[in-house]
Amino acid sequence: MRCFKPPRKFVPYEVDKTSNFKYELCRIMRPDDANIVGHVHGGNILKMIEEAGCIISTRHCNTQNEDRCLAALVRVEKTEFLAPLFIGEVAHATAEITFTSQHSLEVQVKVIGEDIITGSKKLVNKAVLWYVPCSQLNVDKIMKVPPIKFTTEQEEEGRQRYETQKTARLKTKEMIEDVTPPPPNPEKHTVGFSQSSLIHLVGPSDCTLHDYVHGGVTMKLMDEVAGIVAARHCNTNIVTASVHAINFHRKINKGCVVTVTGRLTFTSNKSMEIEVVVDACSLVNEEKVSYRAVSAFFTFISLDKFRRAQIVPPLQVSGEEEQRRYDEGQARYLFNKAKRVAEREAEQ
Amino acid sequence: MRCFKPPRKFVPYEVDKTSNFKYELCRIMRPDDANIVGHVHGGNILKMIEEAGCIISTRHCNTQNEDRCLAALVRVEKTEFLAPLFIGEVAHATAEITFTSQHSLEVQVKVIGEDIITGSKKLVNKAVLWYVPCSQLNVDKIMKVPPIKFTTEQEEEGRQRYETQKTARLKTKEMIEDVTPPPPNPEKHTVGFSQSSLIHLVGPSDCTLHDYVHGGVTMKLMDEVAGIVAARHCNTNIVTASVHAINFHRKINKGCVVTVTGRLTFTSNKSMEIEVVVDACSLVNEEKVSYRAVSAFFTFISLDKFRRAQIVPPLQVSGEEEQRRYDEGQARYLFNKAKRVAEREAEQ
Amino acid sequence: MRCFKPPRKFVPYEVDKTSNFKYELCRIMRPDDANIVGHVHGGNILKMIEEAGCIISTRHCNTQNEDRCLAALVRVEKTEFLAPLFIGEVAHATAEITFTSQHSLEVQVKVIGEDIITGSKKLVNKAVLWYVPCSQLNVDKIMKVPPIKFTTEQEEEGRQRYETQKTARLKTKEMIEDVTPPPPNPEKHTVGFSQSSLIHLVGPSDCTLHDYVHGGVTMKLMDEVAGIVAARHCNTNIVTASVHAINFHRKINKGCVVTVTGRLTFTSNKSMEIEVVVDACSLVNEEKVSYRAVSAFFTFISLDKFRRAQIVPPLQVSGEEEQRRYDEGQARYLFNKAKRVAEREAEQ
């Protein structure tokens, strides 16, 4: 085996002269990535986004001279699925570091779908992720992030995003509630009717070198449960439309069983909001304390056979709790709708 | 666990000159096939057994001149795991057709584990499976099985096994009960404490060319849930010891969601019996009728760090139903114990 | 869903101004990609190489205005594994079109391994692949390849490589022999002792949109069998050192059973050559004719615990046939050795 000096052109961060901190992952979408009508599951796209983010963050955080470290996902900002991906198309996920604080870094990932037969391309997703570097020797030790020099304007905007997400994360942490599942309800279109749980025993391929579950693996499971809840509610071809900010409260390690539970909180005319919580529990520790590892809201839409969004049956809520969650879901829905309108006007 | 003297030769169809109907599958066991201490999950072995059985049955049933057909698994006889398999070992599953009736065929599969580093071999499992050929044009049409000539004695013994399994299948069909899950119970070692369910959306790789779920895929999911129930009950390294006869009542097709539920029925001093039921439900059909597709009993044992079977915490039952299932489990346990003793004596 | 005009910088072939025909795939190596000591299987690297080659070729061949087409792999030139890849490292496969004839194109793929913890990089593999474009409407119709303008020198060298491989492919086609497996031999270090077969039922995720098996999937299976043969022969940690040119004689389609058989042909002091043949057979077709789809020679080396190549037990051959194959293997070995020496001298 011969030693090798890598040719200049292979170093990915020399590819684009405008940024030193870019990374691209790509792969062909296969039948197993998609549902029966050929739509790639949103969860697979989230998983790919996280893999790209994890690689670029880990690489950057190891450019310092202290402990070797691995970047752990702590938050994904609200993200929308802008176009569907299909089997046989190639997905390109390009990650770029866009801000660094002392102990965290922001990564923006764009996913482009390419039809290699026709050559056409489309923007599938744009996501913003936050990572913190954990020492390889002691996973609870958060390392310092080597600072990156941005323009004053970029720096200023980044700091604002940083403060906003920090506040949001603290707020969510307080809000974590103990989810006692509603009794199953045989009546259609109620919360209890479509609520679903899956359990998954964490295996080696789900984990990083630290033996902690990749954030992307967890997001894929969450999307899977949310999709089943949505399909049970409306019995049609459903697709992920967007994911509200996801916070990763605690790590999940190898050998855990994770229980992923989804329940409908709100339906608008053409969308469904599903709350998904992930609880983890070690199988081998005697104490066996289950803890809330992640929680998030997924929005799904229902498609007819021409792939147009169609009317969703209204959710039947009952009881104070279900009503409260419905109202909160409606508030999020109206807020996002107003925001989209504002953005569209700003673009024009 | 018994030791095993490996047969002299591994070459597939030259193995046995007396039979033209043999088949061998083999593959290396990977990290994802095993639990965190390296034991290959019993479910993966069952899946491999079924794949070998499906190939040999499908091939044989297509030697006639009518519709092309695919063999569907309808029953697996009680099977025991005789030795553990580990990551890096090669599993060989050899399938042989041992009886044909007009519309079904019996396949016997042996699994040999080979340590390719030391060359040592061990018998891991011996299973008996029953298949029926379904027409590729109309999956509900059962085709005729081309008859195979056996010796009079083989024919006689095979017919007896055929009649026995037929009776057992009919009996089980009558017994299918509606499993209302017990309320979750926070108290340790109760049935409600360890009961677990998983849901799985059937994907293309789970299916045959007919778009029906492979029996082996279903068995793997069942073993997964049973393992989680067992681990929740005793918080140790647990392994599949045996599977009571499994009957496949109905087919599961692509696009279904399957709900696999496991609950403890009985514990002996060193074993746990878990009842596992599989319910399938189409996500896209408006009627949304959930039906019982499969049910079976799995027996697990708990291992200490030297891989010796250890004492299992006794199951706390409450209520008439739990007591009835406990008594039935105990009856199965005592019956099998007596049978094993009788076999051992017969061998001597 | 909003429409989207892709940003200029995402178009991969604008990345490097020196070539318009480049493509890069990358992903993290996971536990399932590797053997028990953490070495990534050569077969996974071959699979990744082929995926990159397939994407770039398919994309290029669809820049014409006739039938849409998919590129099918017909040949991989001799390729060497220059450095090992480990779990947790990122593999980058960069593909580039380097020659086009009327009906075929040559793609060169380089694989770089990157340790994202230390930042170090190494060249893992360099491969040359040949593809032909098949019409999507009629898979037996070979389409024209849109010509690429190279410099006169590049054009000249490419044409020579094209003629050489064409001759080699025709020659191999003539040489396809019926492999009657040797009788299994209980004696160590004979050909019959280590010979192995594996059987795989082709599933949807193994296939392209055409429902034909990806060349990379087949190569991965071939590497797996060759690895089992090598490990049986020397009972140590073995790794793929190189692959002699692989010719894909015929396509394998969905629903086939493939039988992959490997046997030792030759051992040098520190290497083993394994011949691997792939036979495919439809499970449901009446005729049930098994045909030879691929054949190749893999070279493996045996590593001690410090990952240094170690002495291999000499192969015991018996009979004329085994001796002939041994002599042919030795000729290939000596030829390659002489070639390497010449190349090293040329480099200095």
Side-chain angles (χ1 to χ4, degrees):
Chain A
M1 291 177 198
R2 288 176 282 165
C3 224
F4 173 69
K5 198 170 144 284
R8 232 178 40 79
K9 60 187 165 186
F10 272 108
V11 186
Y13 31 81
E14 291 193 44
V15 158
D16 186 335
K17 293 299 177 194
T18 62
S19 160
N20 285 325
F21 308 100
K22 278 218 166 182
Y23 207 83
E24 184 178 330
L25 276 181
C26 67
R27 73 176 184 85
I28 290 189
M29 298 293 110
R30 313 217 151 193
D32 273 5
D33 297 319
N35 67 14
I36 41 173
V37 296
H39 267 117
V40 170
H41 294 294
N44 285 313
I45 299 165
L46 293 173
K47 195 178 163 200
M48 208 176 161
I49 286 173
E50 203 275 323
E51 189 172 334
C54 175
I55 292 175
I56 197 173
S57 311
T58 301
R59 181 155 68 175
H60 175 66
C61 294
N62 282 297
T63 55
Q64 37 81 17
N65 287 322
E66 290 176 65
D67 291 4
R68 301 296 86 200
C69 57
L70 279 164
L73 180 67
V74 291
R75 181 176 164 93
V76 182
E77 299 293 346
K78 178 172 171 39
T79 181
E80 282 177 60
F81 290 86
L82 306 166
L85 253 184
F86 297 98
I87 298 170
E89 292 185 338
V90 174
H92 302 256
T94 311
E96 190 172 2
I97 299 176
T98 45
F99 180 73
T100 55
S101 77
Q102 199 173 9
H103 291 292
S104 69
L105 62 178
E106 186 199 58
V107 178
Q108 294 191 8
V109 185
K110 263 187 201 172
V111 180
I112 305 290
E114 179 194 3
D115 182 333
I116 52 172
I117 305 292
T118 65
S120 72
K121 295 193 184 69
K122 58 195 167 190
L123 179 62
V124 171
N125 196 295
K126 269 164 75 174
V128 177
L129 301 92
W130 293 88
Y131 286 88
V132 297
C134 304
S135 161
Q136 214 173 17
L137 301 172
N138 170 7
V139 82
D140 294 323
K141 184 177 162 197
I142 307 293
M143 305 294 293
K144 278 196 182 157
V145 174
I148 297 180
K149 209 65 221 130
F150 294 100
T151 67
T152 320
E153 197 194 358
Q154 285 172 333
E155 194 73 34
E156 184 56 42
E157 286 172 10
R159 182 148 310 277
Q160 275 176 28
R161 292 193 302 270
Y162 170 73
E163 295 297 342
T164 310
Q165 64 88 23
K166 204 172 163 184
T167 315
R169 274 169 62 194
L170 289 173
K171 211 174 112 196
T172 324
K173 217 157 196 169
E174 281 167 20
M175 268 173 53
I176 295 180
E177 41 177 330
D178 215 40
V179 172
T180 2
N185 192 329
E187 206 179 323
K188 270 196 166 190
H189 306 141
T190 58
V191 176
F193 183 78
S194 57
Q195 166 161 326
S196 305
S197 284
L198 69 77
I199 49 178
H200 174 73
L201 181 58
V202 171
S205 284
D206 300 327
C207 293
T208 63
L209 286 179
H210 260 159
D211 282 349
Y212 282 93
V213 176
H214 273 292
V217 170
T218 311
M219 289 194 284
K220 192 176 164 212
L221 289 172
M222 295 171 84
D223 179 73
E224 196 175 324
V225 162
I228 290 174
V229 171
R232 279 186 169 159
H233 183 72
C234 59
N235 298 325
T236 52
N237 174 28
I238 48 82
V239 292
T240 317
S242 68
V243 185
H244 197 257
I246 308 183
N247 291 301
F248 292 79
H249 314 303
R250 293 200 29 202
K251 296 193 193 72
I252 303 169
N253 61 332
K254 204 165 89 173
C256 273
V257 169
V258 293
T259 306
V260 188
T261 303
R263 63 175 166 198
L264 270 166
T265 47
F266 167 76
T267 52
S268 75
N269 196 21
K270 290 195 177 174
S271 74
M272 297 162 270
E273 191 197 61
I274 296 122
E275 182 180 17
V276 183
V277 298
V278 180
D279 292 307
C281 179
S282 166
L283 269 187
V284 286
N285 285 357
E286 195 58 46
E287 64 266 37
K288 240 191 67 127
V289 188
S290 174
Y291 58 90
R292 176 69 35 91
V294 198
S295 58
F297 295 97
F298 283 69
T299 301
F300 275 73
I301 53 174
S302 161
L303 301 183
D304 64 16
K305 59 183 171 176
F306 307 107
R307 288 187 185 136
R308 290 173 313 203
Q310 61 178 344
I311 305 287
V312 163
L315 180 65
Q316 312 293 334
V317 296
S318 70
E320 260 177 56
E321 279 299 289
E322 289 187 13
Q323 187 62 52
R324 176 181 60 77
R325 284 196 293 267
Y326 187 92
D327 295 342
E328 288 172 6
Q330 189 165 41
R332 278 186 294 270
Y333 170 76
L334 294 173
F335 176 80
N336 286 323
K337 201 172 171 180
K339 207 173 147 192
R340 266 204 306 276
V341 170
E343 280 170 3
R344 222 169 288 158
E345 280 169 5
E347 274 172 22
Q348 283 164 3
Chain B
M1 290 178 199
R2 286 177 283 166
C3 226
F4 173 69
K5 197 168 146 288
R8 237 174 35 82
K9 45 210 170 168
F10 273 104
V11 185
Y13 18 81
E14 287 192 51
V15 157
D16 189 337
K17 293 296 178 197
T18 61
S19 162
N20 286 323
F21 308 99
K22 280 220 162 181
Y23 208 80
E24 184 179 331
L25 272 180
C26 67
R27 74 175 184 85
I28 289 191
M29 296 295 108
R30 316 214 150 195
D32 273 6
D33 296 321
N35 66 14
I36 41 172
V37 297
H39 267 117
V40 170
H41 294 294
N44 285 312
I45 300 166
L46 294 172
K47 195 179 161 198
M48 207 174 160
I49 286 173
E50 202 275 322
E51 190 172 333
C54 176
I55 292 175
I56 198 173
S57 311
T58 301
R59 184 157 64 173
H60 176 67
C61 294
N62 282 297
T63 54
Q64 36 80 17
N65 287 323
E66 290 176 65
D67 292 3
R68 301 298 85 204
C69 57
L70 279 162
L73 179 68
V74 292
R75 180 176 164 92
V76 182
E77 299 292 346
K78 179 171 169 39
T79 179
E80 281 177 61
F81 290 86
L82 306 167
L85 253 184
F86 297 99
I87 297 170
E89 291 184 339
V90 174
H92 301 256
T94 313
E96 191 174 1
I97 299 175
T98 45
F99 180 75
T100 54
S101 77
Q102 197 172 11
H103 291 293
S104 69
L105 62 178
E106 186 200 56
V107 178
Q108 295 191 8
V109 184
K110 263 188 201 171
V111 180
I112 306 288
E114 178 194 5
D115 182 332
I116 52 173
I117 303 294
T118 65
S120 73
K121 295 194 185 69
K122 58 196 168 190
L123 180 62
V124 171
N125 196 295
K126 270 164 75 176
V128 177
L129 301 91
W130 292 88
Y131 287 86
V132 296
C134 305
S135 160
Q136 213 174 18
L137 302 171
N138 170 9
V139 82
D140 294 322
K141 182 178 164 196
I142 306 294
M143 305 292 293
K144 280 198 181 156
V145 174
I148 297 180
K149 206 68 219 127
F150 296 99
T151 66
T152 320
E153 195 192 359
Q154 284 172 333
E155 194 73 34
E156 184 57 40
E157 286 172 11
R159 182 150 310 277
Q160 274 175 30
R161 293 193 301 271
Y162 170 73
E163 296 297 343
T164 310
Q165 64 89 23
K166 203 171 164 183
T167 316
R169 273 169 62 195
L170 289 173
K171 212 173 112 197
T172 323
K173 219 159 195 169
E174 282 165 20
M175 271 172 52
I176 295 181
E177 41 178 330
D178 212 42
V179 171
T180 359
N185 192 330
E187 208 180 322
K188 272 198 165 189
H189 306 141
T190 58
V191 175
F193 182 78
S194 57
Q195 166 162 326
S196 305
S197 285
L198 68 78
I199 49 178
H200 174 75
L201 181 57
V202 172
S205 284
D206 300 327
C207 294
T208 63
L209 288 179
H210 259 158
D211 284 348
Y212 282 93
V213 176
H214 274 292
V217 169
T218 310
M219 289 195 282
K220 191 176 167 215
L221 289 171
M222 295 171 85
D223 179 73
E224 197 176 323
V225 162
I228 290 174
V229 172
R232 279 186 169 156
H233 184 71
C234 58
N235 297 324
T236 53
N237 175 29
I238 48 82
V239 292
T240 318
S242 68
V243 184
H244 197 259
I246 307 182
N247 292 300
F248 292 79
H249 314 303
R250 292 195 35 197
K251 295 195 194 72
I252 303 171
N253 61 333
K254 205 164 86 173
C256 273
V257 168
V258 293
T259 305
V260 189
T261 303
R263 62 176 168 198
L264 270 166
T265 46
F266 166 74
T267 53
S268 75
N269 196 21
K270 291 195 177 174
S271 74
M272 296 161 271
E273 190 197 62
I274 297 122
E275 181 180 17
V276 184
V277 298
V278 180
D279 293 307
C281 179
S282 166
L283 270 186
V284 286
N285 285 358
E286 194 58 46
E287 66 267 33
K288 239 189 67 119
V289 187
S290 175
Y291 58 90
R292 176 68 35 88
V294 199
S295 57
F297 295 96
F298 283 69
T299 300
F300 275 72
I301 53 174
S302 162
L303 299 184
D304 63 18
K305 59 181 169 178
F306 306 107
R307 288 186 184 137
R308 292 175 310 207
Q310 62 178 343
I311 304 288
V312 163
L315 180 65
Q316 311 294 332
V317 296
S318 72
E320 258 177 57
E321 278 300 288
E322 288 187 13
Q323 187 62 52
R324 176 179 62 75
R325 283 195 293 266
Y326 186 92
D327 295 343
E328 288 172 6
Q330 191 166 40
R332 277 185 295 269
Y333 170 76
L334 294 172
F335 176 80
N336 286 323
K337 204 171 167 178
K339 206 174 149 194
R340 267 204 305 276
V341 170
E343 280 170 2
R344 225 169 287 158
E345 280 169 4
E347 275 172 23
Q348 282 164 3
Chain C
M1 292 183 197
R2 286 178 283 166
C3 226
F4 172 69
K5 196 169 146 287
R8 233 181 40 82
K9 59 186 165 190
F10 272 108
V11 185
Y13 30 80
E14 292 195 41
V15 157
D16 186 333
K17 293 299 178 194
T18 62
S19 161
N20 284 327
F21 308 100
K22 279 218 162 184
Y23 206 82
E24 184 179 330
L25 274 181
C26 67
R27 71 177 186 84
I28 290 188
M29 297 294 109
R30 313 220 150 190
D32 266 14
D33 296 320
N35 66 13
I36 40 173
V37 296
H39 267 117
V40 171
H41 294 293
N44 285 312
I45 300 166
L46 293 173
K47 194 178 165 199
M48 208 174 160
I49 287 172
E50 202 274 324
E51 188 171 335
C54 176
I55 291 174
I56 197 173
S57 311
T58 302
R59 181 156 65 177
H60 176 68
C61 294
N62 282 297
T63 55
Q64 36 81 15
N65 287 322
E66 289 177 63
D67 290 5
R68 301 297 86 201
C69 57
L70 280 162
L73 180 67
V74 291
R75 180 177 164 92
V76 183
E77 298 293 344
K78 178 171 171 43
T79 180
E80 282 177 58
F81 290 86
L82 306 167
L85 253 184
F86 296 98
I87 298 170
E89 292 185 338
V90 175
H92 302 256
T94 312
E96 192 174 358
I97 298 175
T98 44
F99 180 73
T100 53
S101 78
Q102 199 173 9
H103 290 293
S104 68
L105 62 179
E106 185 200 57
V107 178
Q108 295 192 7
V109 185
K110 264 187 200 172
V111 181
I112 305 289
E114 179 193 4
D115 182 333
I116 53 172
I117 305 292
T118 64
S120 73
K121 295 194 184 69
K122 60 195 166 189
L123 179 62
V124 171
N125 196 295
K126 269 163 76 175
V128 178
L129 302 91
W130 293 88
Y131 286 87
V132 297
C134 304
S135 160
Q136 213 173 19
L137 302 172
N138 169 8
V139 83
D140 293 323
K141 182 178 165 199
I142 307 294
M143 305 293 293
K144 278 199 183 157
V145 175
I148 297 180
K149 206 68 217 128
F150 295 99
T151 66
T152 319
E153 197 193 358
Q154 285 173 332
E155 195 71 34
E156 183 57 39
E157 286 173 10
R159 182 149 312 276
Q160 274 176 29
R161 292 193 301 271
Y162 169 74
E163 296 296 343
T164 310
Q165 64 89 25
K166 204 171 164 185
T167 316
R169 274 169 62 196
L170 289 174
K171 212 174 110 196
T172 323
K173 220 158 194 169
E174 281 166 21
M175 270 173 52
I176 296 181
E177 41 178 329
D178 215 39
V179 172
T180 359
N185 192 330
E187 207 179 322
K188 270 198 166 190
H189 307 140
T190 58
V191 175
F193 182 78
S194 57
Q195 166 163 328
S196 306
S197 286
L198 70 77
I199 291 164
H200 174 75
L201 181 57
V202 172
S205 281
D206 299 326
C207 292
T208 64
L209 286 179
H210 260 156
D211 282 349
Y212 281 93
V213 177
H214 274 292
V217 169
T218 310
M219 289 195 281
K220 193 177 163 211
L221 289 171
M222 295 171 85
D223 179 73
E224 197 175 324
V225 162
I228 292 174
V229 172
R232 278 185 170 157
H233 182 72
C234 57
N235 300 324
T236 53
N237 175 29
I238 48 83
V239 292
T240 318
S242 69
V243 185
H244 197 257
I246 308 183
N247 292 301
F248 292 78
H249 314 304
R250 295 207 17 209
K251 296 195 195 72
I252 303 170
N253 61 332
K254 205 165 86 174
C256 272
V257 169
V258 292
T259 305
V260 188
T261 303
R263 64 174 166 199
L264 270 166
T265 47
F266 167 74
T267 53
S268 76
N269 196 21
K270 291 194 176 175
S271 74
M272 296 160 271
E273 192 196 61
I274 296 121
E275 181 180 17
V276 183
V277 298
V278 180
D279 292 307
C281 179
S282 167
L283 262 188
V284 287
N285 283 0
E286 189 68 39
E287 64 269 35
K288 244 196 52 142
V289 186
S290 174
Y291 59 90
R292 175 70 34 90
V294 198
S295 58
F297 295 96
F298 283 69
T299 301
F300 276 70
I301 53 174
S302 161
L303 300 184
D304 63 17
K305 60 181 170 180
F306 307 107
R307 289 188 184 134
R308 290 174 312 205
Q310 61 178 344
I311 304 287
V312 163
L315 181 65
Q316 312 293 333
V317 297
S318 71
E320 259 177 57
E321 278 301 289
E322 288 186 14
Q323 187 62 52
R324 177 180 60 77
R325 284 195 292 267
Y326 187 92
D327 295 342
E328 288 171 4
Q330 190 167 41
R332 279 185 293 270
Y333 170 76
L334 294 173
F335 176 79
N336 287 324
K337 203 173 170 180
K339 206 173 150 196
R340 267 202 306 278
V341 170
E343 280 169 2
R344 224 170 285 157
E345 279 169 7
E347 275 171 22
Q348 283 163 3

